Amino acid sequence: MAKKLWLTYAWRDNEEKDIDFIVHELDKTALELRFDRRNLVPGQRLWTQIGAAITDPNQCDSWGIVLTPGSVSSEPCIEELSYAIDRALSASDGGFPVFALLHKITPSEMPPSLRVRLGVPLSDSSWVEQVVAAVERRSVGFKPEALSPWVLKYHKTAEGECLEIRPRFDRISPFAVCVDLAEKESGNVTECHVGPAGAVPNGHIAFSWIDSQTTLTDGTRAWAWGAQNEANSTTSYFLFYKRRPRRVWFGHQQKLIMVEL
């Protein structure tokens, strides 16, 4: 049988149909989604129905709340939370999942009873899968995205921007950074420095420093900077420019790779 999830939310959070969107997405899963507009009977006492919907094992297998600044300040939502927490604490096997779908809220604004439980950020593209996993009392399973062995970060500067370049784990020496010659000759790309990762340097001390025109192995006319200073997880090279160049080469001086920015 399908697992039954009771969803609590503040009506004000549906002014732009956000709640309806959540319902629409969860209705695509194997869950049986229950909430006030769908399951309450008109003309009957409201809180008797809601209390039963959350506390009766025949009506509900799990409880979730769309947690926003609006629902946190809603007395009806907090009352429903108390029903859910009471049932969760009385379940001898911890078999009643209680969780929050987080939206536009900071940890400090969350009720303590939910702060100690792993929530589901609606900003996460896998939120639907996470909700299903929570109801089914299983881990969602983390699947990391494909990542580059390089760390590239952009930093604002007084004259534009700089690109920080470093290997994630490798240690590379001698290291070089190159741009198209036109980028240097036009004055767009101005200089390159080496220094501690994460901190834009004002200058540097480099060994066997290169700062000159060159021709790459594919025939591209380029401007190159480089040194014997090792690029590693704690030491980066920083390329300074006014407008972001179209492409940049970097890596070991004998084995450069090209990245389009």
Side-chain angles (χ1 to χ4, degrees):
M1 294 179 61
K3 293 287 187 180
K4 296 181 285 292
L5 166 64
W6 181 269
L7 185 68
T8 292
Y9 62 93
W11 280 26
R12 74 179 75 171
D13 290 328
N14 199 38
E15 291 177 352
E16 297 181 354
K17 305 298 183 183
D18 289 349
I19 304 302
D20 289 355
F21 175 79
I22 293 171
V23 169
H24 182 265
E25 294 302 300
L26 292 178
D27 276 347
K28 298 176 184 178
T29 72
L31 301 179
E32 182 181 330
L33 185 63
R34 298 187 169 197
F35 56 99
D36 54 1
R37 288 177 289 151
R38 175 175 290 174
N39 294 93
L40 297 186
V41 179
Q44 303 297 315
R45 292 179 63 86
L46 181 62
W47 287 106
T48 301
Q49 292 186 76
I50 291 177
I54 297 174
T55 59
D56 184 352
N58 293 320
Q59 296 191 49
C60 177
D61 298 304
S62 59
W63 180 87
I65 181 173
V66 181
L67 198 64
T68 67
S71 59
V72 164
S73 61
S74 166
E75 290 188 11
C77 289
I78 297 304
E79 185 157 344
E80 291 184 44
L81 169 62
S82 67
Y83 290 150
I85 292 298
D86 182 67
R87 179 175 167 187
L89 293 177
S90 63
S92 58
D93 61 349
F96 185 67
V98 170
F99 60 91
L101 286 75
L102 308 172
H103 184 49
K104 298 180 181 179
I105 193 165
T106 64
S108 62
E109 296 174 296
M110 296 172 61
S113 56
L114 291 175
R115 202 179 304 162
V116 297
R117 289 171 164 80
L118 187 62
V120 177
L122 288 173
S123 58
D124 193 313
S125 60
S126 67
W127 71 267
V128 173
E129 183 181 354
Q130 292 184 53
V131 168
V132 174
V135 174
E136 295 179 348
R137 300 170 60 190
R138 59 175 174 81
S139 64
V140 68
F142 175 65
K143 299 176 183 178
E145 61 183 273
L147 295 173
S148 168
W150 296 93
V151 175
L152 304 179
K153 292 183 179 180
Y154 296 101
H155 302 273
K156 293 294 184 182
T157 66
E159 296 185 356
E161 193 177 65
C162 81
L163 172 64
E164 177 182 357
I165 305 167
R166 68 170 176 83
R168 193 176 296 277
F169 298 121
D170 207 352
R171 303 175 64 176
I172 302 175
S173 175
F175 197 84
V177 179
C178 301
V179 296
D180 286 291
L181 182 60
E183 296 278 10
K184 172 63 175 176
E185 291 184 332
S186 69
N188 181 45
V189 179
T190 55
E191 58 187 339
C192 184
H193 291 163
V194 58
V200 178
N202 294 320
H204 65 205
I205 298 176
F207 303 97
S208 303
W209 184 246
I210 298 171
D211 187 350
S212 64
Q213 180 179 335
T214 188
T215 301
L216 304 181
T217 55
D218 63 358
T220 300
R221 298 173 67 215
W223 194 274
W225 296 267
Q228 294 291 331
N229 298 57
E230 184 179 273
N232 53 45
S233 60
T234 61
T235 302
S236 301
Y237 279 68
F238 297 82
L239 182 69
F240 292 79
Y241 47 83
K242 298 173 183 176
R243 300 174 307 279
R244 195 170 296 181
R246 182 173 67 87
R247 56 184 181 174
V248 61
W249 291 260
F250 54 82
H252 192 282
Q253 290 182 10
Q254 303 302 317
K255 193 177 180 181
L256 298 175
I257 66 168
M258 189 273 287
V259 172
E260 294 188 354
L261 303 182

